[in-house]
Amino acid sequence: TPSGYMAGPPLTGVICSILDHGAVGDNRTLNTLAIQAAIDACHRAAPAGSTVLIPPGAYRTASIHLRSNLRLHLASGAGLYGSSDPSDYRVSLQWFGGRHKANFDALVRGANLTNVSVTGSNGAVLPGNASIIDGVGWKWWCWAKCMPLSQPWCRVFNPTNQTLPPHGRPRLINIFNSTGVTLSGFTAQNSPHWTVHVQNSRNVVLRTLTVLSPRAVGNTDGIDPESSEDVLIEDSYVDVGDDAVSIKSYNITPDGGVSTGIPCRRLTMRRLTLRSRNWCIGSGTFGGVSDVIFEDSTIGTPGDAAAPVPWALKFKSHEWFPGPIENITVRRIAIGVVGSTPWMFPTRRGGVWQLDLTYGGKEPSTWSGLFPRARNVTFEDVTVDAADYAGRISGLNDSCFERLTFRNVSIRGGSAASSVDAELGGWTCAYVQQSSFVAENVTPPFGSCSHCEACKRRHEK
């Protein structure tokens, strides 16, 4: 029976194998129509609940679209592998980066759904490889030229030096405006663009995921929850070339019309291994990011001096897509070495904290009338093996960091361990409200922070 493929909860209800709809797992045959036919037929047969089974094999495909009350399950030994031909992908109008524009659909996409899940057979193994969704991103990366350092393999994958097609690159997994979303137990790797992108959704669980891409390739974010609420991300492993986790809140409207900032709130992230890059909020915070807990996790490879990360904890807000960052708790985090990374930033000094309300030097928005804001932010019980410098906190004279707390924070090695001087490895700190700033048991200690007790906070007008 199909349940023999499982390494986890048994398959229940109506079960449809993609083999029954003509799929061939030889990693050459394009199976988009066969897989979509299985999804659509299973949904018609049991609209209240069904499972589409991907049996062992390597199935080449382009964009497939999920349905409500449906589970897409990858057996042990099963893999979906993305086509590298742009003409195989559907193009649709989507909200991306705060703009409504025509993009390639993701390899696995679900929009306006209820009770949808994608599961695999990795079990609790991290990193796992029993069930794989692979974007086969090499050609896309070379077309996009998204590697800061030239990669010799682009001479193979892009010998004529092509550029990206007009509709950009597909993401690997994109769930939009859906309720009751579960992604668990599989490996998501080599995405042409962002890897797991959940937008404007509610009641989301991401669990026991392995997310991979080459460390030398940018724009390959690992897990990006955007404008979503009641999100749990736990027990997962991320090793990618850009933000490991990036919490975003852009301006999106599910049915078109006037764009509106939609908040990202009530997120819990725990027991994550973020191997090569950082955890962050932003860069878009237009609708606000609030009530976030990030705990009991590692960044980098504690104990291994040969495995640095370029930075660890970031806020990337700015005045173009501004919005409030509020009620953020980061606790019990172990961080390895923060320093230059030979595969991407070989000459850049590594700083642990990058808390910016001025990220990217973007000009103030002429249309929003808002300012970024950060308040009720706590970092506690954070250890760092070593770093070139402690961090940079950059508020605005019009918008201070308010009620910012560092407690039991220790950088044990590198030039950051013993220097108060920002130039030598200490903290750079600007526009922090001094009356509510708490720094207890922090190494290296903070020097002076410029503040703005009487600043003209236009965002409160």
Side-chain angles (χ1 to χ4, degrees):
T1 69
S3 61
Y5 295 127
M6 284 296 296
L11 303 180
T12 58
V14 172
I15 302 171
C16 307
S17 171
I18 63 171
L19 298 181
D20 295 334
H21 295 265
V24 179
D26 61 3
N27 206 17
R28 293 189 300 273
T29 304
L30 188 66
N31 292 285
T32 312
L33 295 178
I35 297 172
Q36 193 63 56
I39 290 171
D40 295 344
C42 214
H43 179 64
R44 286 194 301 269
S50 60
T51 298
V52 173
L53 176 66
I54 312 293
Y59 301 91
R60 181 75 59 181
T61 184
S63 305
I64 59 174
H65 296 80
L66 304 174
R67 299 289 183 254
S68 291
N69 301 314
L70 184 137
R71 174 186 180 188
L72 181 71
H73 179 72
L74 290 89
S76 180
L80 295 176
Y81 292 87
S83 169
S84 297
D85 185 345
S87 67
D88 290 335
Y89 288 82
R90 194 177 88 172
V91 174
S92 65
L93 280 175
Q94 302 168 39
W95 283 100
F96 184 79
R99 295 175 177 84
H100 204 207
K101 62 182 183 178
N103 269 358
F104 289 118
D105 285 358
L107 188 66
V108 178
R109 176 164 165 79
N112 308 312
L113 303 179
T114 302
N115 187 26
V116 61
S117 62
V118 180
T119 62
S121 302
N122 284 2
V125 176
L126 293 173
N129 61 6
S131 301
I132 294 172
I133 302 176
D134 191 319
V136 192
W138 284 270
K139 282 187 178 180
W140 300 95
W141 301 329
C142 295
W143 292 335
K145 299 172 174 56
C146 58
M147 291 79 72
L149 301 180
S150 177
Q151 300 300 319
W153 38 265
C154 278
R155 291 196 292 270
V156 176
F157 290 103
N158 190 20
T160 60
N161 200 30
Q162 286 180 249
T163 56
L164 273 178
H167 304 300
R169 291 173 277 168
R171 288 155 283 175
L172 192 72
I173 299 170
N174 176 225
I175 306 295
F176 179 80
N177 192 39
S178 296
T179 300
V181 177
T182 299
L183 307 176
S184 69
F186 62 89
T187 297
Q189 65 185 30
N190 299 323
S191 176
H193 204 203
W194 298 349
T195 308
V196 178
H197 187 200
V198 180
Q199 296 175 280
N200 192 29
S201 293
R202 299 147 296 280
N203 301 326
V204 176
V205 176
L206 279 57
R207 178 181 287 133
T208 56
L209 296 178
T210 296
V211 183
L212 307 173
S213 72
R215 295 178 181 180
V217 179
N219 302 138
T220 52
D221 290 19
I223 299 173
D224 288 2
E226 176 186 328
S227 296
S228 295
E229 58 186 36
D230 299 312
V231 176
L232 173 63
I233 305 173
E234 63 181 5
D235 301 309
S236 293
Y237 179 100
V238 184
D239 189 344
V240 293
D242 215 310
D243 299 328
V245 174
S246 178
I247 305 168
K248 307 175 188 292
S249 172
Y250 282 112
N251 50 321
I252 56 179
T253 304
D255 57 355
V258 178
S259 62
T260 304
I262 298 177
C264 199
R265 58 191 177 192
R266 298 192 297 275
L267 296 89
T268 297
M269 305 178 182
R270 59 196 182 198
R271 300 186 299 276
L272 304 183
T273 300
L274 311 181
R275 186 60 77 212
S276 61
R277 286 294 287 264
N278 54 280
W279 178 94
C280 75
I281 294 175
S283 61
T285 60
F286 186 83
V289 175
S290 64
D291 303 312
V292 176
I293 296 174
F294 173 46
E295 62 186 6
D296 301 314
S297 297
T298 62
I299 299 175
T301 308
D304 185 354
V309 294
W311 38 72
L313 298 163
K314 300 180 77 172
F315 287 1
K316 301 193 295 184
S317 190
H318 49 70
E319 294 180 81
W320 183 252
F321 278 131
I325 299 173
E326 301 178 295
N327 306 327
I328 312 297
T329 299
V330 177
R331 62 194 179 195
R332 300 188 297 276
I333 307 297
I335 300 171
V337 172
V338 183
S340 61
T341 52
W343 52 85
M344 187 172 278
F345 301 118
T347 62
R348 179 178 291 180
R349 299 170 70 222
V352 184
W353 278 268
Q354 310 285 324
L355 307 182
D356 277 335
L357 302 186
T358 59
Y359 179 73
K362 294 185 183 292
E363 292 296 320
S365 166
T366 58
W367 49 271
S368 74
L370 300 175
F371 271 76
R373 182 172 70 237
R375 60 187 179 191
N376 297 332
V377 176
T378 297
F379 299 94
E380 60 185 354
D381 301 319
V382 178
T383 61
V384 183
D385 284 358
D388 294 331
Y389 67 97
R392 181 180 68 242
I393 304 171
S394 302
L396 292 164
N397 191 46
D398 297 279
S399 185
C400 290
F401 276 84
E402 301 177 55
R403 296 188 285 281
L404 176 63
T405 296
F406 289 80
R407 182 180 292 113
N408 300 329
V409 168
S410 175
I411 300 177
R412 298 166 174 167
S415 54
S418 57
S419 179
V420 176
D421 189 317
E423 294 296 320
L424 299 178
W427 299 88
T428 301
C429 184
Y431 299 123
V432 174
Q433 186 184 70
Q434 295 299 289
S435 61
S436 62
F437 179 52
V438 176
E440 297 177 353
N441 193 25
V442 175
T443 304
F446 279 90
S448 60
C449 286
S450 63
H451 65 94
C452 43
E453 292 286 358
C455 59
K456 182 182 178 184
R457 286 179 288 177
R458 284 173 282 180
H459 64 273
E460 293 184 353
K461 278 190 171 182

